[in-house]
Every structure is written in C-alpha cells, then in structure tokens.
C-alpha cells in the first residue's frame, strides 16, 4: 500500500451534491494536510464510466442511480469497511436490503429518498374535507382525489393529485397491492407485470388520470402543479415546499393501502464507492466516510434522507414532522424494477410514452402490457 | 485493505506467466463472475459456460493487461463482451426460444441444436426488425430476412404459426394450444415436425451456400470507399459536416450554409439547465432531424438505432426511447456492409472518440471482416466490438433518392419558420426523463446568462467552451445562409439585415469562445470572466432577438403576398 503522504484522491461525480463534495474536500484536506482531493464534474454516468476506464481512474466514484452492474465491476465490497468502523448497524436496514447484491455492497447509497403523499392542509380546510389518515385505502384516496378536483374556492382550477405519469411512480402502488412488475430475481415480467393484481392497480391509476383529477395529464395541458390538493412526491418536493416557505401548510401521509395488500414502497438512491483501481482504498474510504457519515451539515437544508440513524438524530430529521415520516418509510422499501432489470429501466420512457397514449384512450393497457413483457 | 495485496501480487505473477497464480485468481473471482454473467443472461448454465470461455480468454490475454490494479474491470470487460456475443435479443428466453429447449418441453430429441440455435438467432433478429418502428431497418437487413424466410418457407401454415408463436413470441405450448384452438399434445407434434423439417432444410441450404461460396464471401469481405474531398471548411456542427460528406459521396454537393440553414442547425441553441455542460448540442429528435437533413436534398436515409441496457448511456434525453438491443453483430454489420457495398458511407454516433469530446458523430467509410474493423472517414478505425457494444446505437446511410423535392423558396420559408418557432417556442422535441432538462431558443441565452450570474453555481468550463464554439459557428452559417438567400430570392431584403445581425451574434459568441477556449486549459472562471461572458451573451441575445424579428417581418410579407396572389 502506498504511503498516505502527498497523495491526491480523485473523485468523479455526475455533478450531484458538488458543493457537499467540495465542503468535505475542504474539511478532509484541513485534517490531512498532505492529502489532496480532486473533485471532477462529469456530465452523466457515461462520462463517469469514461473516467473509470481512463489511464488515471478515480479513487471514488459517484453514480446517478444505484447501478449495480457497473458498481459490482468497478468498486470494492464495502462491507469490510462498514463492519470495521461499526457502521453497519447504524444504517437503516431497508437501505442496505435494497442496495446489496447477495452478500456484497458495492457502494454506499446516498441521495436516498422514497415517496409519500403530501397534502395541502389549506385546501382540505377550505373544502371541508378531513385530512387523510395513515389507514386510508385506495378507495378513500381515489374518492378524495376526485372530490377535490374541479371544485374551486378561488379563480384557480383545482386538481386532486399531482403525479407525473411515469411507470416508476406507479410502482409503489403496485407493490402495495401485492402486485409487481418483475419476478424477485428480475429475470422475467411474465406472470408478474401481467398478473391480475398488477393490472388492477395500473388500471385504477389510469382511471384516476382519465377522470381528469390528476395533473400533469396528457388530457389537460393547462393543469398546474401548484393547484393540486395532494402531491405524490419524493422528499425533494418537501424541500421545494420548505424553500417556498410553505412547510407549515403541508401534511404528509403514507400511500394508500389495498385490500389484502402489504406495506411497501420504492427507494431511490445514488451510489458512491471506492473503486477497485484506487491504489489507496483505505484513504479513499476515509474520505468517503467523512463525506457520507460524518458531515451532518449536508442535511442542514435537506433534499434527501440520511442513511444512518445517528445522522438522522444529529440533524433532528428523525423528529421533524415531515422528514421523520419519510425516514419511517425506509423500513418497508423494496427493490424496485429499476434495480432488478436493466432492460426494464432502459425501456422506461418507451413505456411512459405508451402510458400517455393509454390515458388518452389511444392504446389499451392490457395490449401495451403484452408489448412491455418483451422488453425484459 | 490488506486482503487486496495478495490479489495484486497474484495478478502480477499471472502477467509474468504463472499459471498457478492465474488459477488462484480464477478461484477468487469465478463465483462473482458467474453472478455477473447470470445477472446479464438470467441463465445459470449459460453464465457458467460464458465464464469458462472468458477465463480462458483472460488467461491468454493477461500479458496485455497494463496495470495489475485494473484486473477486475479488465476481466469484467472480457466477460461482458462474451455475454454480449452469446446473448441473442436479451438472452435465451426473450424473443427467442432455442430449439434445444423444445426437447425439454417434451420431445426429448436434442440433435442438431447447433443449426437450430442459428436458426433461432436468425428468426429472432428478423422478428425484432419486424417489430421495430423504423421501417427502413427492414430494407437494409434484407439478407437476414431473406435467410429467415428461406427457412420458414419449408413449413406449412400451421407449422409456421406454431413455430413463430413458440420461437419468436415465447408462447408456452399451453398458450399456443389455447391461441390456435388445438390440444397441447398437438402443439408438441407440430413443434417436433417443424423442427425436423427446418433441420433438414437448413443443413441442405448451408451445404449449398458453402458450395457456391456465398457464406465464405459474405463472412470475409472487405470494402473501402474513397470519399471525395469536402473542399469547404468544416462546420463545428459535426453531424451536418458528415451529412454534407455523405451527400457529396452520393454525387450531390450542397453548400454547408444551405445545409445548416435548411436543417435548422444554424438556428438551434439548447442549454442544459443544471450547469454549463454542452449536452444540449446533442439533444434533439435524431431520427426526425437526420431524415430531414437528407429529405431536404432529395435523399432517403435508412436508420438503425438502439441502446444497450447494461452500460451507462450518454445523452440519455436523446436516446431514451430507442429500443433496448443486445450487442450482436447481426444487427449492425449487415447494415454497414450493405451501405458501403452500395457506395454509401455510414453516419454513426461514436462513443469511442478521443478527448476533448466524450462522444460525437463519426463516419464509417469501409469495413474489413478479416481484421474486424471499420475505417473512419478522416482516419482511424473502430473495431467491430466497439461498434456493436457501444451503449448507444445510431447508424444512418443513404438508401435512395426521393422523387419529390421541395422548391428552393419553399425550403427557405420552411427554414425561416423553423428559425422563428425555435427562437420563440424552443425545441419541439421534449424528452420524458425527469432527471435532466434543457432550455432552448432565445430562452437558452437567458438560462445561460442566469447560470453565469449565479455565484453559487459551479460551472463546467469544458462545456461552456464547447457551446460557445458550436453556437458561434452555427450563427456564422445562419448569416451566410440568409445572405445567400437574400441575393437569390427577390423581395426579401430584410433577410440581408437578419444576416448581418446573425454575423454580429456570431462575433459575440466568438469572443466568448476566445475567453473560454474549447479543449484548452485556461484561467479559472473567475467572477470577472463570468461577467465578461454575460456581457457577450447579453449582447448576442439582443442582436438575435432583432434578427428573429427581421425574419418574422419577411414571413409576414411573404404570407401577405401569397394571400394577394391567391385572391388574384
């Protein structure tokens, strides 16, 4: 192993959390005067890959999305470090459950987030509708969405729900109805995507769009996000609400339940890991640990969730009415189709294009599903 | 970390020819390698076969490994290549059902699986082309389709229905029985019978083919086109350059400024919203715009496109709706061979370019089956493996002449309308991905200026220089195009003024380019440099707004005249 003297760690990031990386660099270089850290901006994961395959590959790599194929190939197993530093127990189990490949953890999840329903209390109060509760069902949810659509207390038209028509956004609902897009090993969609439960859940969602109570919709180009009573959103949206100074105006609640369904949700995450090519993985890990586990300042004005309980406590997020609810959801997160099958993920926008056609009535859901089966 | 040391030593020893050291590496990585391969193939047995082959290849090639620390990525690349070579249309259970699996389904006869497997590959390739929404692909892959038709031609209607349902559509015998209103045993009978027939037919065809030399000539051919010299300074819009070269090689010379103007590339500007990366240069509807570039000059073009799902994809917003494809030669090489044999170079999106760009458009002008390389116009080669395993697949070649071509005036009016609409409304192509977003048209200047003004935003110097270079050049061509048209077409004097304004816009962007040169290290983007950039862009924006207004007045006058003529 090389000496830790006069070494420059190279970090490549697809332009995410650049200020946080630079902040960690500054702290690390102050603590380790003979070590330099070079942070390199990359336009996307492809540009990161080019760096990994270059003659001077990085010590640490940050990928947008947890791409297990790339990470398995280019990063070391991080479990050894986690156990040595007694960090494993501190990480939310759900996060590790989704991130690991077998017994391997090829990178540490970061920019972790999951989905909830955020509701505008002022709209509910104005319309005389009770706030949603954690035990609500799909029927309750659907009724509220439709009840709060079109009614108006002001000049603006109101929409019941904001949710981008995206197959990935629909997945938590499908999971909760005990349906799924793919088999648990991701090898096939046959028997899963076209199962009655999955079709029923997707049908319900499509029906909600067709009722004109969800925005944005291909049926209504004028619908606007800020006129919606509820929003299906990740924690990023909560951050936007905070930045607009409207945090008090919003409540949050879990996604609705389904008859004979289950508690489940999807998890979104980026990944950061020490590369196999690093000639000083110990040093690289020291920097990554500082960045991911010892920098509570990253969560001063959070957009995503900390992955450890101690960070959640240090930042006060575990007692915040909104952030704590997102953190609770980490207990039930599952591997979504994104992580299970790369073909599925690559076909996402083709599927989304079909979904717009289905909502418009130009395509049929069951026929489209037959086509989607062939993508996996 | 200490556990990593022996691995490095083992690799070093293996590079020096120590077979035992390589054996130990095999023991360490075999399980993981099988898991990778299984993850990609979804087939344990196939994965184990592939890993076996990959390790043999790795052993034979380990002396080429430059750094011992890169052993695992290097091994992964070998393994990935083997997976891609062996995978057919996403693996053995997607769109393809190996004939050998029919034996598992009940008939117990596994003889001839080699030829049956080949047939399944052919059929699945043909099927995927049929399912493709780009009809031109079918045309240029006639060889493949003809071969497949040749096989299936030996079956009667019922046998063919069963074969296609099972082999191409992956229907189970039970599903086929329900679909075709027959019993499951009857399905098995048809499957067995058609397999026997195809086996016999296939063997006969191969013998004939080898006898008349068609297989040998097809698999070992070589062709290089001698492309004409461009004779004009190239544009920085690399795509348009190559299209111009393709047209020239088809005997049709189009001035670059005309191609830039009529395609709209002279008027485009798209900025990545997050920071000053230059990806926006590549974000448009590739199919539509490439077709338009050729259509305007009276040519038809054939296109092959796709994305490989196991690799990170560049310019995701442009390729997001491409079909997922596997890295197989049959999807790419017949297209290249057919185009080059008919005298047409092949435009493709090249992900193996050298710095300063990560990727760009390139032109293939030859192929050599023996060396397994394609030659690039302008020098250099790409290996077949590089071409077939590129994460983005987009290839285009001229496939014919159009009988109809728009008049020069119609083309001018169309391009002026495009310039105005693009400036005012932005690009009509809207990516669906929520992860990246862009601003285009006149609003792109405002976004760019806003980025430079934001002291908290970390700018990308490389992208900033790239955009300045490309957009300065595009405005230069806008000026030339409008000047040229204003001289050629009567009553459009305002175009000359618009041309002058675009020339001034180009001047401002040139100054920006000098301040932040593309591909060169320069001073840090200090606040002073940012402010200077803002000044140039603000001025360019004002001038381009005036230029667009001039074009609007030309269009208004043209519409008025057209209406008057109609009334007369």
């Amino acid at each position: 192993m090389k000496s830790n003297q006069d070494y420059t760690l190279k970090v490549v990031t697809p332009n995410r959390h650049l200020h946080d990386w630079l902040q960690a660099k500054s702290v690390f270089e102050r603590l380790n005067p003979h070590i330099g850290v070079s942070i390199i901006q990359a336009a996307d994961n492809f540009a990161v890959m080019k760096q990994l395959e270059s003659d001077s590959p990085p010590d640490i790599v940050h990928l947008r999305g947890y791409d297990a194929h790339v990470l398995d190939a280019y990063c070391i197993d991080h479990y050894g470090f986690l156990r040595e530093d007694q960090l494993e127990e501190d990480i939310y189990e759900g996060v590790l459950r989704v991130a690991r490949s077998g017994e391997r953890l090829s990178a540490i999840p970061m920019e972790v987030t999951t989905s909830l329903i955020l509701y505008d209390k002022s709209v509910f109060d104005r319309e005389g509708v009770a706030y949603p509760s954690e035990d609500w069902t799909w029927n309750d949810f659907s009724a509220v969405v439709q009840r709060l659509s079109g009614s108006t207390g002001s000049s603006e038209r109101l929409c019941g729900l904001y949710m981008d028509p995206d197959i990935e956004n629909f997945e938590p609902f499908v999971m909760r109805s005990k349906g799924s897009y793919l088999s648990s090993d991701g090898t096939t969609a046959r028997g899963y995507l076209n199962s009655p439960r999955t079709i029923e859940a997707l049908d319900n969602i499509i029906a909600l769009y067709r009722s004109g109570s969800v925005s944005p919709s291909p049926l209504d180009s004028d619908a606007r996000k800020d006129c919606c009573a509820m929003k299906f959103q990740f924690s990023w949206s909560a951050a936007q609400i905070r930045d607009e100074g409207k945090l008090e105006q919003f409540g949050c609640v879990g996604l609705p339940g389904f008859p004979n369904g289950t508690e489940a949700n999807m998890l979104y995450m980026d990944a950061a890991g020490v590369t196999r090519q690093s000639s000083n993985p110990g040093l690289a890990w020291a920097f990554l640990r500082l960045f991911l586990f010892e920098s509570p300042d990253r969560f001063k004005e959070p957009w995503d969730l900390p992955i450890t309980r101690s960070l959640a406590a240090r930042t006060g997020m575990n007692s915040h009415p909104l952030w704590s609810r997102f953190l609770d959801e980490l207990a039930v997160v599952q591997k979504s189709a994104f992580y299970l099958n790369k073909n599925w993920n690559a076909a996402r926008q083709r599927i989304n294009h079909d979904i717009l056609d289905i909502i418009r009535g130009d395509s049929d859901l069951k026929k489209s599903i037959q086509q989607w089966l062939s993508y996996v | 970390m200490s556990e990593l040391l022996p691995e490095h030593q083992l690799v070093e020893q293996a590079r020096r020819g120590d077979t035992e050291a390589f054996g130990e590496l095999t023991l360490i990585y075999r399980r993981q390698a099988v898991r990778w391969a299984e993850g990609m193939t979804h087939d344990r047995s196939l994965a184990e076969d592939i890993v076996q082959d990959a390790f043999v290849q790795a052993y034979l090639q380990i002396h080429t490994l430059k750094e011992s620390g890169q052993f695992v990525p290097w091994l992964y690349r070998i393994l990935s290549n083997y997976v891609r070579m062996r995978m057919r249309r996403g693996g053995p259970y997607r769109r393809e059902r190996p004939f050998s699996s029919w034996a598992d389904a009940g008939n117990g006869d596994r003889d001839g699986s080699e030829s049956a497997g080949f047939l399944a590959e052919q059929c699945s390739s043909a099927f995927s082309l049929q399912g493709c929404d780009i009809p031109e692909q079918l045309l240029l892959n006639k060889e493949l389709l003809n071969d497949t038709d040749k096989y299936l031609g030996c079956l009667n209607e019922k046998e063919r229905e069963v074969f296609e349902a099972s082999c191409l559509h992956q229907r189970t015998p039970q599903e086929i029985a329900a679909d075709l209103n027959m019993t499951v045993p009857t399905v098995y009978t048809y499957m067995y019978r058609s397999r026997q027939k195809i086996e016999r037919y296939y063997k006969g065809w191969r013998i004939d083919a080898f006898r008349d030399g068609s297989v040998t000539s097809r698999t070992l051919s070589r062709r290089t086109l001698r492309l004409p010299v461009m004779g004009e300074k190239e544009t920085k819009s690399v795509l348009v350059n190559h299209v111009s070269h393709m047209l020239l090689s088809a005997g049709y010379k189009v001035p670059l400024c005309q191609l830039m103007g009529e395609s709209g590339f002279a008027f485009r500007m798209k900025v990545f919203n997050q920071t000053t990366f230059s990806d926006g240069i590549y974000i448009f509807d590739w199919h539509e715009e490439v077709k338009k570039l050729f259509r305007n000059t009276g040519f038809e073009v054939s296109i092959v496109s796709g994305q490989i799902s196991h690799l990170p994809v560049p310019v995701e917003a442009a390729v997001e709706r491409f079909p997922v494809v596997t890295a197989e030669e049959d999807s790419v090489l017949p297209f290249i061979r057919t185009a080059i044999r008919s005298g047409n170079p092949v435009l493709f999106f090249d992900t193996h370019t050298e710095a300063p760009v990560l990727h760009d458009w390139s032109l293939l002008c030859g192929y050599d089956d023996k060396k397994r390389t394609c030659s690039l116009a302008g020098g250099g080669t790409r290996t077949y493996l590089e071409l077939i395993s590129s994460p983005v697949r987009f290839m285009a070649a001229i496939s014919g002449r159009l009988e109809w071509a728009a008049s020069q005036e119609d083309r001018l009016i169309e391009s002026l309308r495009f310039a105005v609409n693009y400036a005012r409304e932005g690009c009509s192509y809207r990516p669906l991905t929520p992860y990246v977003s862009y601003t285009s048209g006149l609003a792109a200047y405002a976004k760019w200026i806003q980025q430079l003004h934001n002291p908290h935003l970390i700018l990308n110097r490389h992208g900033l220089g790239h955009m300045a270079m490309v957009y300065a050049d595009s405005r230069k061509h806008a000026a030339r195009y409008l000047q040229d048209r204003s001289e050629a077409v009567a009553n459009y004097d305002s175009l000359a003024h618009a041309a002058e304004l675009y020339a001034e816009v180009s001047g401002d962007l040139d100054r920006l380019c000098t301040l932040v040169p593309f591909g060169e290290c320069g001073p840090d983007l200090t606040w002073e440099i940012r402010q200077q950039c803002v000044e140039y862009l603000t001025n360019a924006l004002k001038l381009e707004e005036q230029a667009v207004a001039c074009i609007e007045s030309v269009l208004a006058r043209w519409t008025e005249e057209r209406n008057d003529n109609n009334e007369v």
Side-chain angles (χ1 to χ4, degrees), chain A residues 16 45 62-66 95 98 109-115 168 234-236 265-271 304-305 307 330 333-334 336 338-339 348, chain B residues 435:
Chain A
R16 310 257 276 198
N45 283 355
H62 172 188
L63 283 186
R64 200 190 81 196
Y66 199 99
V95 175
V98 175
M110 60 176 287
E111 197 170 318
V112 164
T113 186
T114 187
S115 59
E168 196 171 41
F234 295 87
S235 58
W236 307 311
N265 210 329
M266 65 171 287
L267 183 71
Y268 177 89
M269 56 189 174
D270 274 8
D304 45 73
L305 308 174
I307 60 167
L330 294 179
V333 290
Q334 296 179 3
S336 56
F338 170 89
Y339 300 108
R348 175 177 170 186
Chain B
Y435 298 114

Side-chain angles (χ1 to χ4, degrees), chain A residues 1 15 19 22 41 49-50 64 69 73 81 104 168 187 276 342-343 346 349-350 353 374 376, chain B residues 1 32 35 40 42 72 76 94 274-275 307 309 312 316 321 351 358 432 435 456 458-460:
Chain A
M1 190 185 295
N15 207 49
H19 286 284
L22 290 170
Q41 275 177 307
M49 271 294 281
K50 282 257 180 174
R64 200 190 81 196
H69 268 92
F81 287 130
R104 199 170 197 282
E168 196 171 41
T187 55
R276 292 175 187 275
K342 295 287 288 173
N343 285 356
Q349 302 309 342
R350 284 166 75 84
H353 189 71
S374 68
V376 177
Chain B
M1 261 64 55
Q32 193 177 338
R35 205 172 64 232
M40 289 189 266
H42 307 309
V72 174
Y76 176 76
R94 179 172 175 263
Q274 207 178 346
T275 186
Q307 50 172 318
S309 65
E316 184 187 347
R321 275 176 259 176
T351 55
L358 286 172
L432 289 171
Y435 298 114
H456 304 295
I458 299 165
L459 300 176
N460 185 271

Side-chain angles (χ1 to χ4, degrees), chain A residues 189-318:
Chain A
R190 211 168 282 279
Y192 299 89
L193 181 61
N194 57 347
S195 69
R197 278 181 183 273
T198 305
I199 291 173
E200 189 186 354
L202 290 176
D203 240 345
N204 284 335
I205 297 167
I206 298 291
L208 215 47
Y209 277 94
R210 283 185 176 162
S211 72
S213 43
V214 187
S215 170
S217 162
L219 302 174
D220 181 6
S221 57
D222 293 333
R224 290 173 51 208
K225 189 175 180 177
D226 56 355
C227 316
C228 292
M230 295 187 284
K231 300 176 183 192
F232 165 88
Q233 284 294 359
F234 295 87
S235 58
W236 307 311
S237 173
Q240 279 172 342
I241 290 169
R242 174 200 61 216
D243 293 347
E244 290 164 9
K246 294 180 181 171
L247 217 46
E248 296 301 314
Q249 193 180 318
F250 280 83
C252 75
V253 63
L255 304 181
F258 287 78
N260 304 313
T262 185
E263 285 294 319
N265 210 329
M266 65 171 287
L267 183 71
Y268 177 89
M269 56 189 174
D270 274 8
V274 176
T275 64
R276 292 175 187 275
Q277 294 106 312
S278 171
S279 47
N280 206 331
L283 191 61
W285 168 250
F287 177 66
L288 192 59
R289 188 182 58 212
L290 171 82
F291 174 66
L292 291 174
F293 297 96
E294 296 160 13
S295 304
D297 283 356
R298 284 177 53 218
F299 298 98
K300 256 185 184 169
E301 291 192 331
W303 279 70
D304 45 73
L305 308 174
I307 60 167
T308 63
R309 291 181 181 80
S310 57
L311 268 178
R314 283 173 75 183
T315 55
M317 288 173 76
N318 64 351

